[in-house]
Amino acid sequence: QVQLVESGGGLVQAGGSLRLSCTASGGTFRISIMGWFRQAPEKAREFVSAIKWNGSSPYYQDSVKDRFTISRDNAKNAVYLQMNNLKPEDTAVYYCAAGVPRSVQLMGEYDYWGQGTQVKVFS
């Protein structure tokens, strides 16, 4: 029974920064990738970023790769998403995901999901 808990969301002015955290508990033996998806109101959920549990190669959606940075802390079973220069279009619920995906950008490839943390960016 793996549980993922996100934190760090909030309300921020455009141009500001937030750092999202996701902590896994309950055993992570089958997890090779941890990542982030987001879903804005009235829009489909989309891939944001992912990182290998035993590697440093990150994956990013093109629209965020120059502004967001994903990182991990294996000792804490945690993954982080540092979001800089936030824009109103970044407003969404951000979900942490984990599993052994064959393709990191596909939602159906992940086994575990957090409940999400809300990010709102205003001008």
Side-chain angles (χ1 to χ4, degrees):
Q1 185 179 352
V2 175
Q3 292 180 303
L4 303 178
V5 179
E6 304 100 331
S7 63
L11 182 65
V12 64
Q13 189 172 9
S17 299
L18 286 173
R19 189 179 76 154
L20 305 184
S21 298
C22 174
T23 300
S25 62
T28 59
F29 298 109
R30 299 297 182 185
I31 295 174
S32 65
I33 295 286
M34 293 188 71
W36 294 93
F37 289 76
R38 67 185 181 185
Q39 186 166 17
E42 306 299 324
K43 294 185 178 181
R45 185 164 51 179
E46 65 177 1
F47 171 76
V48 178
S49 185
I51 190 168
K52 293 181 178 180
W53 199 242
N54 297 121
S56 60
S57 298
Y59 306 87
Y60 296 103
Q61 179 199 110
D62 287 342
S63 67
V64 308
K65 65 180 181 180
D66 294 326
R67 300 182 294 121
F68 293 7
T69 302
I70 191 169
S71 62
R72 69 180 189 278
D73 186 335
N74 296 77
K76 297 181 179 179
N77 288 333
V79 64
Y80 308 97
L81 186 67
Q82 178 66 46
M83 305 185 294
N84 297 325
N85 192 24
L86 284 162
K87 304 175 180 180
E89 50 264 44
D90 294 316
T91 295
V93 176
Y94 284 70
Y95 296 92
C96 178
V100 192
R102 291 167 291 184
S103 184
V104 299
Q105 76 274 18
L106 299 178
M107 296 182 295
E109 294 291 315
Y110 290 83
D111 298 310
Y112 311 104
W113 293 85
Q115 293 188 338
T117 184
Q118 177 71 60
V119 172
K120 292 185 178 180
V121 185
F122 65 94
S123 299

